[in-house]
Amino acid sequence: MKLHLYDTRARQKREFVPLEEGKVGMYHCGPTVYQRPHIGNYRAFLFADLLRRVFEVLGYEVKQIMNLTDVGHLLADAEEGEDKLDVQAKKDNVDPWEIVERVSEQFFADLKELGIQPAHAYPRATDYIDEMLEMIEILIDKGNAYKVGSNVYFDVHSFEKYGELSGNNIAELEAGARLEINKEKRHPADFALWKTDEKHLMKWDTVFGANGFPGWHIECSAMSRKFLGDHFDIHTGGEDNVFPHHECEIAQSESAHNGEFVNYWLHTKFLQVDGGKMSKSLGNVYSLDDLGTHGYCALDFRFLMMRGHYRSSLNFTFEALQGAAEARKSLCGFISRLQSAAGDAVADASQCDALRTAQQDFMTSLCDDLNTSAAIAAVFTLRGEFMKGEFSPAHSAAALEFMLNSVQPVFGDLNDEASAGDGMSDADVDNLIAQRTQARADKDWSKADEVRDQLSAAGIVVEDTADGIKWHRALS
Ligand code: AMP
Ligand code: ZN
């Protein structure tokens, strides 16, 4: 099946054609490691993981790189001002390297909890200073960049396509940039490749002089080149990365090697919170731990992100998270019901129209620019058909295979064993609740009490509501 992806630069969906048959190289702008990433960042990283998983289900060999920005990202993505790492280091009164270590560790732990598959490399900007310097020198030699004292700037007028990705034009950018007076620049919209500031905490002595550090954009150009070469398939980031970050990356990379840089540019729409912008600088952020204190696990959040299309606006609320948690649990319950219904039967999908339709709708939706909401709807339709009670054991076994071999590889494990009290999984809980309901219907009160005690010993709170039975894990 052909995969179509929305390419920001082309402003339309395009059929994905790899540079090399059967292979995909992707680079994702990763976190700036000055504070623990928030759930908005994880929307972008979960999308990167989803993209990889869909490629793998389609049989591609994927090489996935995500950088860690540990220097040069200035406040508000600006050209002038303080480095986010410096600000945090001063605030905490610690060495910036200590912050990088601590935050990177938290980031990797979060990825694990979210069921995000490890990328093939997580290069840190400060480990690739030589590669950045090499690229900057190439740009100077070619006349795309110029030195002013110990600073180096990219000349945006030297790159004809500057503005093509974001739709900005240089004249308008210059009008805006004039407010940010920097007399060193030849043109107000030029951007820094290398800066010098003796007060900067992380700094290097180089051919350009002492006390220098890289501009944020050159980092991703140099690291992507190092791991994926001059020209690769896909580059992703959140929508805020389109300009200036990715626009500048294109200018640097294409000028440095006189050729194409990236074939498909994919951007995740921002996650909002309570209808407004969510960002570390605004302080209205949630971490995975914050969700945990409200009784939700990382997989509930993952499922919430999967329920919305990555290019759609998504507003985070705890009601929406609750809905996602229930939907995830009901798919876990579906898997365990399929297991019981299949027994030892050999899977056979013939004459199971419901399954064939689900399989087809699932893949067609994913191949249509990763339409995960439609893919999940296809799975729920299958569940609805199964619940009518007309699936043979062989059909149930085939549906189970679909859930385990297609649905979970794309959405990740739905079952959160890690948060399962004394080891009781969501599916176990669903099974016990079904047993309790049956025991009550049979007026077998001692059995019903026994099951209730088992659930409560595992920290499971069961509520009988007007909408049926609901359960959640008690907060410890
Ligand atoms: P940063 O740590 O600010 O460098 O951001 C890391 C990645 O998260 C970048 O690709 C950003 O575009 C993305 N990002 C930041 N905030 C959000 C948000 N609220 N929703 C989605 N993606 C975001
Ligand atoms: Zn980047």
Side-chain angles (χ1 to χ4, degrees):
M1 202 173 285
K2 291 196 183 348
L3 173 64
H4 287 79
L5 298 170
Y6 185 90
D7 177 14
T8 306
R9 187 166 49 177
R11 290 166 179 72
Q12 62 182 6
K13 288 182 204 169
R14 293 172 52 214
E15 181 185 331
F16 178 73
V17 181
L19 277 169
E20 196 179 332
E21 183 75 32
K23 296 191 175 177
V24 193
M26 336 199 250
Y27 183 91
H28 315 289
C29 284
T32 303
V33 285
Y34 71 114
Q35 281 175 358
R36 183 180 182 175
H38 54 62
I39 57 173
N41 300 126
Y42 287 120
R43 182 179 199 196
F45 306 149
L46 280 164
F47 167 67
D49 184 57
L50 170 75
L51 188 60
R52 169 189 175 160
R53 286 168 176 271
V54 169
F55 273 119
E56 286 180 345
V57 164
L58 291 171
Y60 284 85
E61 188 186 314
V62 181
K63 184 164 179 194
Q64 186 183 36
I65 310 298
M66 178 176 283
N67 75 291
L68 305 185
T69 303
D70 57 357
V71 69
H73 194 170
L74 307 188
L75 291 178
D77 295 358
E79 270 288 296
E80 308 291 332
E82 275 197 279
D83 191 312
K84 294 186 181 194
L85 254 304
D86 278 14
V87 174
Q88 194 65 39
K90 286 177 198 155
K91 201 163 141 202
D92 297 354
N93 200 21
V94 293
D95 190 280
W97 301 100
E98 220 177 294
I99 295 176
V100 172
E101 285 304 324
R102 173 171 50 81
V103 174
S104 305
E105 225 171 85
Q106 288 170 332
F107 168 64
F108 290 122
D110 284 351
L111 292 187
K112 211 164 165 205
E113 268 197 61
L114 284 162
I116 290 179
Q117 296 187 7
H120 298 94
Y122 291 97
R124 274 187 193 183
T126 49
D127 288 333
Y128 296 90
I129 297 292
D130 287 346
E131 285 76 1
M132 295 172 207
L133 293 171
E134 187 192 323
M135 202 167 203
I136 295 170
E137 292 207 71
I138 294 173
L139 291 169
I140 294 173
D141 289 347
K142 289 190 154 187
N144 297 100
Y146 54 94
K147 283 190 273 193
V148 182
S150 307
N151 296 327
V152 186
Y153 298 98
F154 187 92
D155 175 353
V156 293
H157 286 269
S158 74
F159 184 66
E160 231 176 70
K161 292 194 274 177
Y162 193 77
E164 193 183 270
L165 176 75
S166 59
N168 282 314
N169 82 47
I170 293 185
E172 278 167 20
L173 289 172
E174 291 192 339
R178 271 192 193 92
L179 302 172
E180 225 190 68
I181 303 163
N182 176 345
K183 293 207 174 82
E184 286 190 354
K185 292 182 183 177
R186 282 186 198 160
H187 312 290
D190 291 353
F191 58 91
L193 300 175
W194 192 259
K195 301 186 81 152
T196 304
D197 177 358
E198 62 182 36
K199 293 196 293 302
H200 199 269
L201 298 178
M202 295 155 126
K203 51 199 175 199
W204 290 262
D205 294 345
T206 72
V207 286
F208 303 123
N211 302 321
F213 66 97
W216 173 35
H217 317 308
I218 195 72
E219 299 176 4
C220 286
S221 280
M223 288 185 279
S224 62
R225 178 177 192 232
K226 174 85 181 169
F227 285 85
L228 296 166
D230 283 329
H231 187 193
F232 56 93
D233 296 293
I234 297 180
H235 195 316
T236 77
E239 60 178 334
D240 62 326
N241 286 160
V242 175
F243 188 86
H245 190 46
H246 292 164
E247 191 76 67
C248 297
E249 275 188 53
I250 295 174
Q252 297 160 157
S253 295
E254 295 198 359
S255 300
H257 74 271
N258 286 341
E260 286 287 310
F261 171 40
V262 166
N263 279 1
Y264 298 82
W265 286 93
L266 273 53
H267 294 99
T268 317
K269 191 112 177 146
F270 256 36
L271 178 68
Q272 300 209 307
V273 64
D274 297 328
K277 186 174 187 277
M278 172 179 193
S279 81
K280 289 172 197 164
S281 49
L282 291 178
N284 62 351
V285 295
Y286 290 116
S287 71
L288 289 186
D289 279 356
D290 296 326
L291 307 191
T293 54
H294 283 79
Y296 297 98
C297 68
L299 295 191
D300 294 330
F301 177 71
R302 180 189 180 102
F303 202 68
L304 176 63
M305 295 301 102
M306 295 297 135
R307 287 178 108 189
H309 185 237
Y310 75 97
R311 284 192 297 113
S312 301
S313 297
L314 190 55
N315 182 31
F316 175 83
T317 61
F318 280 100
E319 286 86 53
L321 186 59
Q322 173 63 23
E326 284 166 17
R328 180 181 71 76
K329 280 180 201 136
S330 100
L331 287 188
C332 289
F334 178 37
I335 291 177
S336 71
R337 284 194 182 96
L338 285 171
Q339 273 158 343
S340 314
D344 295 332
V346 175
D348 180 3
S350 55
Q351 286 166 12
C352 186
D353 291 343
L355 178 55
R356 256 203 310 278
T357 306
Q359 284 170 317
Q360 199 175 355
D361 290 353
F362 182 76
M363 278 323 292
T364 311
S365 306
L366 291 174
C367 286
D368 178 17
D369 193 31
L370 309 190
N371 189 344
T372 45
S373 38
I376 289 175
V379 177
F380 272 97
T381 304
L382 176 68
R383 178 180 172 277
E385 291 298 316
F386 170 81
M387 297 302 259
K388 289 180 187 164
E390 288 157 18
F391 274 37
S392 66
H395 288 171
S396 302
L400 180 63
E401 277 185 5
F402 167 62
M403 292 301 293
L404 301 181
N405 301 337
S406 300
V407 176
Q408 290 209 123
V410 169
F411 292 119
D413 273 349
L414 295 162
N415 207 349
D416 178 32
E417 299 288 348
S419 73
D422 69 345
M424 194 176 283
S425 69
D426 288 355
D428 294 338
V429 177
D430 283 336
N431 265 338
L432 282 173
I433 289 178
Q435 284 178 32
R436 175 175 167 266
T437 309
Q438 189 59 47
R440 283 169 149 198
D442 297 344
K443 301 200 176 0
D444 182 350
W445 308 116
S446 70
K447 168 82 179 163
D449 286 351
E450 187 193 309
V451 176
R452 184 202 57 208
D453 292 347
Q454 226 178 316
L455 287 163
S456 101
I460 307 297
V461 180
V462 181
E463 289 168 279
D464 291 298
T465 74
D467 299 329
I469 297 175
K470 298 207 164 154
W471 65 268
H472 63 268
R473 294 179 195 281
L475 299 179
S476 47

